[in-house]
Structure formats: structure tokens, C-alpha cells
Amino acid sequence: MITRDVVTGVAGVMLTAWVGTPTSAAEPAPAAFNNHCRTCHSVKEGDHRVGPSLHNIFGAKAGSSNYAAYSQGLKSSGLTWDEATLDKFIENPDQVIANNNMKPYKGIGDQGLRKEIVDYLKSQGSSP
Ligand code: HEC
């Protein structure tokens, strides 16, 4: 009897774990990203469009992907993309990196929208 209860218990735990797996999927893009970034950026690895792929951008050094058209300004900025640098760059690229080539992009004044985008970028590339 005891073994039977244990087996049922283990099966139950396994089933719960299996049903719960969708949490590891990448988050869907928020409207703010689709509206302001998607024309030029993809988050798929190596998928460079007008701008470089933003896969794994969080924690990366600026200008470190194999995108071919980086400006000298961005490549030599020495920046690492974290919450603060991404937020400021999205607010006003020119203020963070002089002579960057992210044009024509006008910046986003709304802090809430910027946070949605930064949180989204943070979630990209962190899945196994
Ligand atoms: C008009 C096209 C365009 C739009 C819109 C645009 N970008 Fe860019 N982005 C670029 C280009 C081109 C570069 C390369 C800039 C350079 O080399 O100076 C770039 C560079 C970047 C980088 C640096 C990447 C790296 O590898 O270091 C980040 C981060 C970035 N963009 C984020 C965003 C986000 C987030 C948005 C939306 C809020 C956005 N961009 C909107 C074209 C765009």
C-alpha cells in the first residue's frame, strides 16, 4: 500500500511539472517594441535588419554582435547594455552615444513604455 501511494504521488508531481513547462518560452513582444523598434530590429539570433539583432542584448557590450554596419561611435562607446544604459539610449540615443547611426529614431519620452521594452529585451536570450 505504501509503495502504491508513493508511485501515485511521483506520477502526480511529474504530470504537474510537465503541464507547467510553457513558462520557459520567450515572452511575446509588447506593443511598445512592435511600434517603436520592430521596423528595424528583430530579437532572433543573428537576424540583422536595418539595425542589429537584439538577441541577448542585455548584458552585452555595445557593438559586439556580427552586424556589419555599426557606426564607429557605437563600436567605440565602451558601453555595456544594462537597465540604465538601455533606458537612456531608448530615451535619446544621441545623448548616450554621439554619432550613432540609429536613425531616423526619435526616442521615447514615456518611462513606462521604455521599461516595458527594456524588460522585454532582458527576457530575450535568457532562455536555455
Ligand atoms: C530606424 C531604424 C531603427 C529603429 C526604429 C530602432 N533602431 Fe535600434 N538600431 C538601429 C541601427 C541602424 C543601429 C546601429 C547603430 C549604430 O551602429 O550606431 C541600432 C542599434 C541599437 C542598439 C545597439 C545594439 C548593439 O549591438 O550594441 C540597441 C540596444 C538598439 N538599437 C535598441 C533599439 C530599441 C530598443 C528600439 C525601439 C525602442 C530601436 N533600437 C529602434 C536602427 C533602429
Side-chain angles (χ1 to χ4, degrees):
M1 282 313 154
I2 289 171
T3 31
R4 200 189 148 157
D5 280 355
V6 168
V7 169
T8 317
V10 169
V13 169
M14 282 168 67
L15 187 64
T16 314
W18 182 71
V19 169
T21 42
T23 45
S24 64
E27 280 180 38
F33 181 85
N34 290 336
N35 292 341
H36 295 281
C37 320
R38 200 177 205 92
T39 21
C40 303
H41 289 288
S42 154
V43 294
K44 265 182 35 202
E45 188 168 10
D47 186 11
H48 306 308
R49 308 248 165 124
V50 173
S53 158
L54 297 180
H55 181 81
N56 251 341
I57 196 70
F58 200 86
K61 259 194 77 185
S64 62
S65 80
N66 61 1
Y67 168 76
Y70 281 122
S71 63
Q72 200 51 47
L74 194 133
K75 266 205 295 201
S76 59
S77 69
L79 277 185
T80 296
W81 294 121
D82 58 20
E83 246 143 47
T85 50
L86 278 172
D87 182 71
K88 266 198 272 175
F89 187 65
I90 299 173
E91 183 181 18
N92 182 351
D94 294 342
Q95 217 179 352
V96 179
I97 297 176
N99 305 318
N100 76 81
N101 201 22
M102 189 153 114
K103 311 249 166 9
Y105 169 81
K106 293 193 177 62
I108 299 176
D110 186 312
Q111 199 188 345
L113 287 184
R114 295 201 305 272
K115 184 172 175 354
E116 273 182 40
I117 294 172
V118 172
D119 284 350
Y120 171 63
L121 291 178
K122 219 168 152 177
S123 76
Q124 297 308 310
S126 51
S127 46

